[in-house]
Amino acid sequence: MAAPIVVQVVLDKPLVQGFDYLWDAEILGKLPEVGHIVEVPFGRIMAIGVVIKVSTHSEYEINKLKLIKRVAPLPPLDPALLRLMNFASQYYIHSLGETILPTIPQMWRKADDWEKIPKKLAAAEKKQNKKVIIGDGYIGEDQLNPEQKKALKILMRDSSTENAFRAILLQGQTGSGKTAVFLNWLSTTLQDPSAQVLILVPEINLTPQLERRVKAYFPEKTMAVLHSGVSENKRGIAWYEAITGKAQIILGTRLAALTPIPNLRAVVVDEEHDSSYKQQEGTRYSARDLAIWRAHDQLIPILLSSATPSLETWMAAKSGRYEYVRLDQRAQGAGLPKVNLINTRDPQTQFSPGDMGASKQKPLVSKTLANAVTKNLAAKKQCLILINRRGYAPVLSCSACNWLSKCTQCSAYMVLHKAGALGKRSVLSCHHCGLVKSIPSHCPECGNADLKTLGHGTQKLEDAIEEMWPDARVLRVDTDSSRKSKGAEELFQEIHDGNVDIVVGTQMIAKGHDYQNIGLVAVLDADSRLYSADFRAAERLFAQLVQVAGRAGRAGTSGQEGGDIYIETQYPEAAVFQYLLRHDVDGFLAYTASERDEAKLPPFSYQALVHAEAKSLDKAIQFLSELKTRLKNQGLINKELKVYDPVPKAVMRVAGSERAQLVIESANRKLLQEALEIIDQQLRQSSQGRISKTSRIRWLIERDPINI
Ligand code: ADP
Ligand code: ZN
Ligand code: ZN
C-alpha cells in the first residue's frame, strides 16, 4: 500500500498549531501542495483552511485522521505570500490561520459555492466588458516637467539590475506630480506582459479617481480593485484575477497588501503616512509595513509617496536607508497657498453683537473668515470649510440640571443628527457603538423642556453658512451625506462640475481630490485635534492640514496665486501651525524627530499594547496589573524593557464593555518581540482563545499601535 499523504491545515482560529488531515488524491483528483485552500471537517462543522505542510506521517494515529473533503478550484497561495503571512503572524502575535483566512474573500470561503464559481466568473466577464472606465489624466514621459523627468530618471536607474530590494521615498507637495511620476515608472515594469504591480491607497474614496488615471496609462491591462466597498462578489473575482495572474494591476486599500500576487514586480504605497493603513481589528497590521517587508523579501522595488511622510519613513530616507527622491514644485506651476492663522482669542477677528453679516445664532465662523469667504465668492471661486465632526451638535444638554446626552453603553456622548441624516427624524447617535435613540422632548432627569445643543458639527455649520450667504449654493460632504442617496463620488462630482459655491464637510473631502476651482480652504476646529493624549496628534494634524492646503489653487498656472488657507485656532504660536505657515514639512519633521528622540518615543523606541476588555473597568485593570506583576517577578521588566501601568482607554466604555490597556516599550525591537511572545504564551495558557478562563477578560496584543 502506498504511503498515506498527510497534510497540515491552519484554520481561522486563535490556535497556534495546525491540524493533520489525510489527503486522498484519487477522490480529490490531484496531489496536495502547500497553499491549497481546502474544506475540512472540524468538530461537528465543516471549515475552510489552508495547507501549510505536506508529509507522509503524523504525530497522531494515521487511521484516526479525518479526510480533506474538497480543494478549492484555485492555484495554491504562492510561497512568497505564505512567507509574508508567516511573518505577519509572528510579528503581530496572531495565529497563522487567523492571519491568512480573513484575507481570503467570502466567495472563496464557501465551499458549497466553489462549483458554481466558474459560471459566476463567466457572467462577470460579460458584464465587465460593458462597463468601461474612461481613462483620464494621462501625462506621458515626454510631457513630464524637468523636475519630474529627473525624478523618473532616478527611479529608472536600477531597473536593469533586477531582483533587488529598493525602498524609495517620493516626497513632494500635493499637486507636484508624484502620481504622474510613479505611473510612468510602473509602465516600464508593466511592459513585461506577465508582470504584476500593486498600488495601495489609504481610502476607498481615493480609488475611483486613481482607477481612472491608471486606466489612462494602461487601457489594455486588467486591473483588480480591492477594498471593503467592493461587493463580495466583485472582490472574489478581483482576488481571483490577482492570484491567477490575469490582473496585472492590483489597486486597493490596506487589505490589498495581503493579496496573492504571484508575479509581483513593484509596489507603490500612495500617501504612505496615512493612518488608514493600520488595520484596527483582527490582525492589527500596518499595510505599509507589510508591503515593505514583502518587497524586501521578494527583492523588488517599493515606492512610498507622500507630501508629509511619516516620521519613520522620512528618517529612513534621511539616513540613506531608503532612496530619497523629491519634487519641490507644483506640476502645473501654481504657487503655494497662503496660510492665514486666525487667532480666535483676538476680539478683532470676531463678530461683535449686531455686526452686519453675522449669523443670528452664536456665530460659528470668525469675522475674518467670513470676510474672506465673501471676497472669494465674489471672485467666483469655491470655498471649502472643514470641521472634523459630523452631525448637528456633539452633545445635547439640559440647561436646568446639566444633564448631558451620554450613551448608555459607552463613555461617550451621543451626537445630535438632524432629520434626514440618519433617519427621517432627528436622532441622537453614538459614534462609538452605533446606538441610535430618538430625541427626548424633555430632560430625562428633571423634566425641563429647554434642551440645548452644545458645540457644533457639519450640519449646524451648514445651517449657519446658508443663513450667512443665502445666495450661495451650499453642499455638505461627510459620511452621513455620502451614505444617503448619492455616493461620495457623486458629491465630489458636484464640486468638480462647479454646481456648488461653498462645501462644508469633514476631512473626507480634503484627501487627494483634484478640484480645480477652490480659492479658499478653512479649518475650524484644528485645536480639538492638537491637544489629545496621543503623542502623534500633532504629526497627524500637520499632515491633514498640508493635505487640506493642497486643495486650494491646484489648477493655478505659473505665477498665479495658490489660493488661501484659513485656520482658526486659539494657539497660533504652536509649532504645528508655525511650520505650516512656512510650508516647511522638513522643518516640522525635524522638530518632531528631536522631540521624540528626547522622550524616547517611536520611532526612537518600539511599542506594543496589551488590550483588556471586561464587564467592569476594575476587572480589566486588575487583569493587566497582574500581568505586569508577573512580568516583573519573572525579571522581564528591566532597563531595556519598560512596562507602564495599566490605564483606561481614551473611550473607556464601548457597547457595554470597559477597556483598559498596558503599554510596553523598548528601544530594542527583538527584546520587545521576545517579551510579547512570552506574554502571548502565558495568556494563552489560562485562556480559551483570547478570553481568560477565570475572569472572562478578552485580551489582545497589538504591535506598533498608532492610537495610544
Ligand atoms: P500629486 O500626486 O503629487 O498630488 P499629480 O500627479 O496628481 O500630483 O499631479 C497634480 C496635477 O497636475 C494633476 O492634475 C496632473 O494631471 C497634473 N500634472 C502632473 N504632471 C504634470 C505635467 N508634467 N504637466 C502638466 N500637468 C501635470
Ligand atoms: Zn434637566
Ligand atoms: Zn455608545
Side-chain angles (χ1 to χ4, degrees), residues 139 143-145 148 173-180 213 331-332 514 554:
I139 290 164
Q143 291 159 277
L144 295 179
N145 66 33
Q148 287 172 311
Q173 51 184 288
T174 40
S176 59
K178 301 184 292 296
T179 310
R213 272 178 91 173
Q332 295 163 306
D514 210 358
R554 274 173 84 87

Side-chain angles (χ1 to χ4, degrees), residues 91 167 169 171 272-275 278 286 288-289 292 304 308-324 535-536 539-540 589-590 592-593 596 601-607 669 703-706:
Y91 187 80
L169 168 59
Q171 181 181 338
E272 68 85 29
H273 64 280
D274 200 294
S275 55
K278 178 78 196 303
S286 151
R288 176 202 57 206
D289 295 353
I292 296 170
L304 307 163
T308 51
S310 64
L311 199 52
E312 282 80 357
T313 303
W314 184 79
M315 281 170 51
K318 279 270 175 195
S319 72
R321 269 198 300 129
Y322 293 176
E323 290 172 53
Y324 200 0
F535 66 87
R536 283 190 182 85
E539 188 186 349
R540 218 168 283 152
L589 287 167
T592 308
R596 298 272 180 85
L601 282 168
F604 296 89
S605 66
Y606 301 97
Q607 290 182 324
R669 213 169 189 165
R703 272 313 286 271
D704 306 331
I706 56 164

Side-chain angles (χ1 to χ4, degrees), residues 125-136:
E125 185 106 28
K126 266 195 209 143
K127 241 199 206 145
Q128 214 171 35
N129 293 340
K130 277 185 212 140
K131 188 201 158 205
V132 185
I133 307 162
I134 311 285
D136 183 16

Side-chain angles (χ1 to χ4, degrees), residues 406-414 429-435 651 653-656:
K406 276 202 182 115
C407 175
T408 47
Q409 309 194 65
C410 309
S411 53
Y413 294 113
M414 294 190 85
S429 143
C430 172
H431 290 183
H432 292 279
C433 71
L435 184 69
V651 177
R653 204 154 74 98
V654 169

Side-chain angles (χ1 to χ4, degrees), residues 549-565:
R551 293 319 108 203
R554 274 173 84 87
T557 39
S558 294
Q560 213 172 308
E561 261 184 56
D564 266 303
I565 311 299

